[in-house]
Amino acid sequence: LDASESVDTDLDGIGNNADIDDDGDGIIDENDSSPLDPSIGDTQSPVFSEIATLIVEATGLNTAIDLIAPEVSDNNLNLPIVVSNYEIPLALGSHEITWTATDFAGNSTTAIQVINIVDTTAPIFDDFNNLTINARGRITFISGDINVLATDIVDGEISATLVGGEQYLSGRHLVALVAEDSSGNSAM
């Protein structure tokens, strides 16, 4: 005991002023209904702070994410253990992740976090080469002659389609193509 103390309730050699948890159960004595009995005192579950919905841009057919554990408070001096049920990369769409917080005394609580995996990235065309098509009469239908692919991070290879007319007179033409992924993102 130091000079300012005269009481050591749990007889551990540390006075009550410095020993804020006499029974070592993680509950500060003034909040502990039985400050000398470690089996009694903590019945309060941890509490999650507000958990925000996350919006994550897709990186492929399935997207791996790095989740940051939400903040949790508890009446125990020992930090609660916080885990989630997230295990595998997520496909496009909305997903619910369950977080569980368990404190030193075994009290636990759960909370849900919504994760939205979105695809807002347009497909990408590789470099184009000029294409020469032999005329098949005065007007040539070219749609069957065009085979251009674009690459999308989620859908992979996407066939481009013609924008505008499919029939052309003999001569040089600049033809517009579009590739659209399953999320509605398009490249021209």
Side-chain angles (χ1 to χ4, degrees), residues 47-181:
V47 176
F48 283 94
S49 62
E50 183 177 340
I51 301 177
T53 296
L54 290 181
I55 299 173
V56 179
E57 182 68 24
T59 59
L61 189 57
N62 293 304
T63 301
I65 56 176
D66 291 323
L67 288 176
I68 297 172
E71 290 185 25
V72 177
S73 60
D74 191 49
N75 66 330
N76 199 295
L77 294 173
N78 302 294
L79 293 175
I81 296 170
V82 181
V83 296
S84 77
N85 67 340
Y86 170 70
E87 294 178 352
I88 60 173
L90 304 173
L92 287 179
S94 184
H95 305 273
E96 289 187 350
I97 302 299
T98 301
W99 289 97
T100 302
T102 305
D103 68 14
F104 184 73
N107 302 305
S108 67
T109 189
T110 60
I112 301 295
Q113 182 174 29
V114 175
I115 311 288
N116 293 316
I117 306 295
V118 298
D119 176 13
T120 61
T121 305
I124 298 171
F125 284 108
D126 290 331
D127 292 333
F128 291 112
N129 294 322
N130 287 333
L131 179 63
T132 301
I133 300 171
N134 289 326
R136 295 183 291 272
R138 190 167 104 43
I139 296 177
T140 302
F141 287 89
I142 66 166
S143 61
D145 299 305
I146 308 265
N147 184 20
V148 175
L149 297 175
T151 304
D152 184 70
I153 60 173
V154 174
D155 297 331
E157 288 187 342
I158 300 172
S159 294
T161 57
L162 285 167
V163 176
E166 296 181 356
Q167 7 179 353
Y168 291 88
L169 296 170
S170 293
R172 181 177 279 247
H173 302 278
L174 184 60
V175 178
L177 300 171
V178 66
E180 184 172 319
D181 68 17

